[in-house]
Structure formats: structure tokens, C-alpha cells
Amino acid sequence: MQALARLIAFPFRLLGELVRFVRWLLFMVLMLLGNRLAMAFGGFGVWLFFTGFRPMRPDETPLAIGAVVAWLAFCASAKTIARLIVRPGMRLEPIKMPAPPKKPARTTAPPTAKAKPVPVIIPPVPGGPTPPKPTRVALLVPPAPAAASPDEERMVAALSPALRDLIQRRG
């Protein structure tokens, strides 16, 4: 049954594609005629038709001028006509965005206490690697001279004796 429906619809689809092709062809020709160079050559060709390729009587000069003006007016509006030929499905239209979601109503419930993170102690894997022991790390930046800060001596005096001893050995 579906094959029969496709068979019946085939000529109509073919006709629709033919119409689309003719529209596209006409669109392209009209867009080309909207070009200024095509306007100039076409106007010159119309003028040659009236003046060079057939004998012209004196009373036909306004007709030749009118034909050139009509050609230029047609070419000037060719791009607009081409855009009108394009079917609406092929035109770009603005995208309608959905409305933003509404904010939920505020409740008067008291705020709940924040959960404190529970420290997770991972036991060492038997037979696995042992964690590294802390070591002394060399300073990559040389310490500032004592003259750099007037409060440096007071700051050093406020340190613990072990840190003071480390600073004196290092510096």
C-alpha cells in the first residue's frame, strides 16, 4: 500500500522539484541582472538594437530612450524581485527564543545547617607504594635583603624559634 502511495506521489514530487529548479534558475538570473555591469551592458545592447541592428526612423528615438530606461529600472529592481520569488521556507527569519523560566517563590523556611565534609582516610594498599616522606625544598627565589622591609626584624622575632633557626641557617 505504501509503495502505491509513493508511486502516485512521485510525479507530484518530480513536478515540485522542477518548480524549485526553475525558481532557483530565475533567482540566479535576476540576481545577475541586478549587477551594475550587467545593467550597463544590457542598456548598451538595447540601445544598439534600436540604433545599429535595424533601421531607425526619426520618430523612434523616444521609444529607444524609453526602452533603455525601462531596462535600467528593471535591472535596478531585479534583486528585489529575485528575493520575492524565493519561497518563504528558504528565507531567513528571526529565531523566537523561549521565555525564561520563572523564579521559584521564596519560602520562609529557616536555612538548613550546612553539612560538614567528613574526612576520608584511605588506608594504604598492602604491598603498594609507600607515600613519599616530606623533604626540604630549596627556595627558588633568593630571600629579600633586610633593608627591603623596615619591619623584617620584628617579623623574624615573632616567628617560632625553629623557623628562626631555619632562616639563620639558610640565609
Side-chain angles (χ1 to χ4, degrees):
M1 188 68 182
Q2 203 169 24
L4 182 64
R6 284 185 188 165
L7 188 63
I8 292 172
F10 180 72
F12 295 105
R13 288 184 60 212
L14 197 61
L15 185 65
E17 292 299 320
L18 180 66
V19 168
R20 279 187 60 214
F21 175 71
V22 169
R23 265 190 193 160
W24 174 80
L25 197 63
L26 193 58
F27 174 78
M28 287 297 161
V29 169
L30 286 173
M31 289 301 278
L32 177 69
L33 289 179
N35 189 348
R36 289 183 180 153
L37 195 61
M39 290 170 71
F41 279 124
F44 184 66
V46 169
W47 184 256
L48 277 181
F49 174 74
F50 275 98
T51 59
F53 295 130
R54 61 188 202 83
M56 189 164 143
R57 295 188 298 270
D59 58 338
E60 285 187 354
T61 303
L63 185 64
I65 292 172
V68 170
V69 169
W71 170 257
L72 294 177
F74 171 72
C75 286
S77 62
K79 285 188 178 184
T80 306
I81 295 170
R83 288 188 192 105
L84 290 174
I85 287 175
V86 176
R87 62 181 166 170
M90 295 173 66
R91 292 185 195 153
L92 293 178
E93 295 181 5
I95 299 171
K96 294 180 181 176
M97 298 297 291
K102 294 182 179 180
K103 293 182 180 176
R106 291 190 139 207
T107 58
T108 56
T112 58
K114 287 190 176 181
K116 294 181 182 176
V118 177
V120 178
I121 299 171
I122 301 173
V125 178
T130 58
K133 304 274 190 246
T135 60
R136 275 183 76 190
V137 178
L139 290 176
L140 298 177
V141 180
S149 172
D151 298 330
E152 187 171 355
E153 287 187 28
R154 186 170 50 93
M155 291 165 54
V156 169
L159 292 175
S160 67
L163 279 174
R164 247 185 283 146
D165 185 22
L166 181 65
I167 289 173
Q168 288 172 356
R169 274 192 281 148
R170 184 80 185 138

